């Protein structure tokens, strides 16, 4: 396998200069189809087949496909590089979206429609997780150690804010295309965006970069079992909760506004939460390092849970706007914190795998949340549907509490060694103090994830790795 591992000196500029402005523009638009899929499938099935129940099942099928194959595509990207994997997925996913737009109008049974919906989720190019993985690799392998911690924190904040923005824009674009053109238009548009922008994302020069934590044969320096440790799985559970909140909140809000004959304004109200969430997500990078990651998760998930409880007593639009504004304060920083934990806890050479696990958690939660809430709203009513965002927020808060305990156990387990901070500054600290070996050194390597080879060689000079440029 041909591998490209940058060996340049640490970049003197920031990440914007290192990756280039076109990268961020392409990566932003390329993640839009992913945010359009679930809502687009639901909208088309309800319109073409006249069944809210079947629409919800198809949304769930999309999420199931992502759950089954999302992490596998991340593992393939870690093994073979992102470029070939993304190019294959871009073509396959576009074909699936177009096929779905055709088959839903045919006489084929609902099971055939469900099968194609599953294929849409299975082939979905998860650009957001891939972008996080790619940027962490660039930061830890091409930037000076003293700048890595703050840059990683800022990057996770930007990526989460971009996700928040896209998950607000996605349903809005679906609504515009479906109402002005046709119900099938959102999926056709998503197919076109996937081909153009996911393809461009794959072909960007950064797509050639492969983490130095992979050997010349593509093998990772960590065992697969590292992906199933409790401290990482609890983060996946947290992102599932966030995704569930997105799905339950949007669907129950739509039902709330439909009861007031203003369902077309649901997207505008949802934007209140999205704008606040994105702004607070960006603000996470400015928070002091003494406000640790585990404390941020507990704090902001508590705000999220409090805001969701307000939904139970809201009876008018101004009250709903107030609740949504408070929810925005909680959801954005929580998601940033979860992805920061994911970057910190990624096993060596498996960043893309971890990031797609977290991304799959979000989309699966959104799909299931939308499907279940739609059924509840239709069969029981809006007031009951508004309970489901509370359930989702409870999952997020409970995962944060478990993470607090796991992090505390981890700190105590290191005994007389230097206390290991759980903030994102750990990455920079380990990079700046490579002589701190043993378990701490390995933790620092894993936190930095994509810079394992340079840091490991300083921690243990005698350790040898295959030359990643051999054979080129």
């Amino acid at each position: 396998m041909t591998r490209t591992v940058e060996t340049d000196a640490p970049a003197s500029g920031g990440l914007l200069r290192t990756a280039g402005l076109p990268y961020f523009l392409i990566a932003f638009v390329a993640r839009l189809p992913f945010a359009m899929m679930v809502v687009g499938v639901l909208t088309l099935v309800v319109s073409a087949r006249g069944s809210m129940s079947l629409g919800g099942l198809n949304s769930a099928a999309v999420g199931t496909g992502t759950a089954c194959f999302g992490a596998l595509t991340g593992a393939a990207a870690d093994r073979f590089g992102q470029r070939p994997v993304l190019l294959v997925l871009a073509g396959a996913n576009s074909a699936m979206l177009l096929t779905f737009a055709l088959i839903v109008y045919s006489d084929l049974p609902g099971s055939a429609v469900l099968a194609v919906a599953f294929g849409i989720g299975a082939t979905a190019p998860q650009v957001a997780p891939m972008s996080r993985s790619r940027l962490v690799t660039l930061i830890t392998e091409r930037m000076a150690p003293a700048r890595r911690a703050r840059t990683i924190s800022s990057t996770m904040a930007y990526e989460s804010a971009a996700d928040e923005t896209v998950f607000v824009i996605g349903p809005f674009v679906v609504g515009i295309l479906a109402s002005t053109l046709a119900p099938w238009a959102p999926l056709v548009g998503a197919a076109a965006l996937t081909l153009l922008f996911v393809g461009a994302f794959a072909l960007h020069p950064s797509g050639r970069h492969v983490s130095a934590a992979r050997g010349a044969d593509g093998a990772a320096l960590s065992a697969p079992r590292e992906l199933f440790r409790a401290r990482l799985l609890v983060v996946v559970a947290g992102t599932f909760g966030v995704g569930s909140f997105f799905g339950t909140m949007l669907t129950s809000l739509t039902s709330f506004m439909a009861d007031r004959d203003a369902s077309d304004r649901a997207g505008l109200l949802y934007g209140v939460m999205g704008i606040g969430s994105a702004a607070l997500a960006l603000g996470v990078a400015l928070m002091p390092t003494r406000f640790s990651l585990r404390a941020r998760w507990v704090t902001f998930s508590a705000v999220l849970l409090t805001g969701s409880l307000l939904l139970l007593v809201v009876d008018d639009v101004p009250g709903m706007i107030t609740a949504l504004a408070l929810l925005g304060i909680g959801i954005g920083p929580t998601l940033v914190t979860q992805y920061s934990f994911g970057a910190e806890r990624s096993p060596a050479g498996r960043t893309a795998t971890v990031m797609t696990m977290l991304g799959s958690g979000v989309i699966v939660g959104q799909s299931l949340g939308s499907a279940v809430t739609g059924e509840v709203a239709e069969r029981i009513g809006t007031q009951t549907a508004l309970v489901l965002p509370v359930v989702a927020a409870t999952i997020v808060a409970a995962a944060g509490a478990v993470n607090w305990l796991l992090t505390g156990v981890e700190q105590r387990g290191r005994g007389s060694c230097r206390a290991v901070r759980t903030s994102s500054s750990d990455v920079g600290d380990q990079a700046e103090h490579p002589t701190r070996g043993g378990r701490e050194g390995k933790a620092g390597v894993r936190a930095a994830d994509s810079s394992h080879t340079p840091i490991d060689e300083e921690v243990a000079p005698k350790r040898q790795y295959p030359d990643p440029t051999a054979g080129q």
Side-chain angles (χ1 to χ4, degrees):
M1 181 183 70
T2 301
R3 295 171 52 79
T4 301
V5 179
E6 302 290 347
T7 58
D8 299 338
S12 59
L15 183 60
L16 181 61
R17 181 175 178 180
T18 302
L21 179 60
Y23 171 85
F24 290 94
L25 297 177
I26 292 170
F28 182 84
V29 179
R31 70 185 77 196
L32 184 59
F34 193 76
M36 295 170 61
M37 288 189 312
V38 174
V39 180
V41 164
L42 175 64
T43 301
L44 179 56
V45 173
V46 171
S47 174
R49 299 270 173 142
S51 172
M52 185 69 184
S53 176
L54 183 60
L57 287 175
N58 276 271
S59 294
V62 173
T64 302
T66 303
C68 292
F69 290 92
L72 294 178
T73 61
D78 276 330
R79 178 87 185 192
F80 304 108
Q82 290 191 15
R83 176 169 292 178
V85 173
L86 285 170
L87 287 175
V88 170
L89 290 176
N93 191 246
S94 296
M96 284 291 176
L97 289 167
L98 294 175
T99 300
F100 189 88
L102 291 173
I103 200 173
V104 75
Y105 288 106
S106 71
D107 295 329
L108 291 174
S111 58
V113 180
L114 285 170
V116 180
F118 179 87
I120 290 175
T123 59
Q126 297 190 49
V127 174
M130 297 288 189
S131 178
R132 285 181 172 91
S133 172
R134 196 181 295 189
L135 293 177
V136 168
T137 299
L138 290 175
I139 292 167
T140 54
E141 293 184 8
R142 301 199 58 189
M143 297 191 72
R147 306 186 61 184
R148 291 176 190 165
R150 178 62 66 182
T151 306
I152 286 180
S153 178
S154 300
T155 299
M156 292 299 113
Y158 162 76
E159 287 287 320
S160 295
D163 284 345
E164 292 284 341
T165 304
V166 163
F167 273 102
V168 171
I169 293 176
F172 180 76
V173 172
V174 169
I176 291 295
L177 292 177
S179 60
T180 59
L181 296 178
W184 50 260
L187 293 189
V188 174
L193 288 173
T194 298
L195 272 180
L196 292 174
F197 285 92
V198 175
F201 180 74
L203 295 173
H204 187 272
S206 62
R208 298 195 309 266
H209 193 95
V210 181
S211 173
R214 286 264 163 177
D217 60 351
L221 302 179
S222 60
R225 65 176 179 273
E226 295 287 331
L227 295 169
F228 300 98
R229 294 190 179 275
R231 69 193 195 112
L232 183 54
L233 293 180
V234 73
V235 183
V236 177
T239 60
F240 171 81
V242 170
S244 299
F245 182 82
F246 285 142
T248 56
M249 188 66 251
L250 178 59
T251 307
S252 60
L253 176 62
T254 301
S255 179
F256 178 86
M257 295 304 293
D259 290 345
R260 289 155 179 78
D261 296 321
S263 58
D264 57 336
R265 294 172 56 193
L268 295 176
L269 264 66
Y270 190 70
V272 172
M273 185 186 77
I275 292 172
S277 179
L280 266 293
L282 288 172
V284 169
L286 303 177
M287 293 179 183
T289 56
R290 63 179 177 273
F291 187 16
S292 66
L293 286 183
R294 69 171 184 161
R296 294 177 194 179
W297 189 342
V298 170
T299 300
F300 288 108
S301 63
V303 174
L304 178 67
L305 182 56
T306 301
S308 67
L309 291 173
L310 290 179
L311 298 173
L312 303 180
V313 297
V314 166
D315 58 3
D316 56 18
V317 173
M320 178 61 74
I321 292 175
T322 300
L324 290 170
L326 182 58
L327 291 169
I329 295 174
I331 193 71
T334 300
L335 190 61
V336 172
T337 301
Q338 291 168 346
Y339 272 107
S340 295
F341 268 122
E344 178 182 296
R345 294 174 176 177
S346 295
R350 300 186 187 275
T351 320
T353 306
V354 170
M355 293 302 169
T356 48
M357 287 171 63
L358 301 184
S360 295
V362 173
I363 193 65
V364 170
Q366 184 198 29
S367 301
L368 293 179
S370 297
V372 172
T373 306
E375 283 290 309
V376 171
E378 182 176 334
R379 296 177 181 274
I380 304 177
T382 299
Q383 199 60 39
T384 303
L386 286 170
V387 175
L388 297 181
V390 180
V391 175
T394 301
I395 294 173
V396 178
V402 173
N403 179 73
W404 177 280
L405 296 176
L406 290 175
T407 307
V409 169
E410 182 180 4
Q411 289 176 340
R412 290 192 297 272
R414 291 180 180 177
S416 60
C417 295
R418 180 181 57 86
V420 178
R421 295 188 305 273
T422 57
S423 70
S424 58
S425 62
D426 289 351
V427 177
D429 182 71
Q430 291 292 344
E432 291 175 342
H433 300 89
T435 57
R436 293 173 178 170
R439 189 171 178 180
E440 287 186 20
K442 293 178 182 178
V445 169
R446 288 172 185 165
D449 184 62
S450 301
S451 60
H452 306 287
T453 299
I455 297 177
D456 275 349
E457 287 176 350
E458 292 177 349
V459 174
K462 295 181 180 180
R463 191 173 181 181
Q464 299 295 324
Y465 297 118
D467 180 5
T469 60
Q472 294 184 358

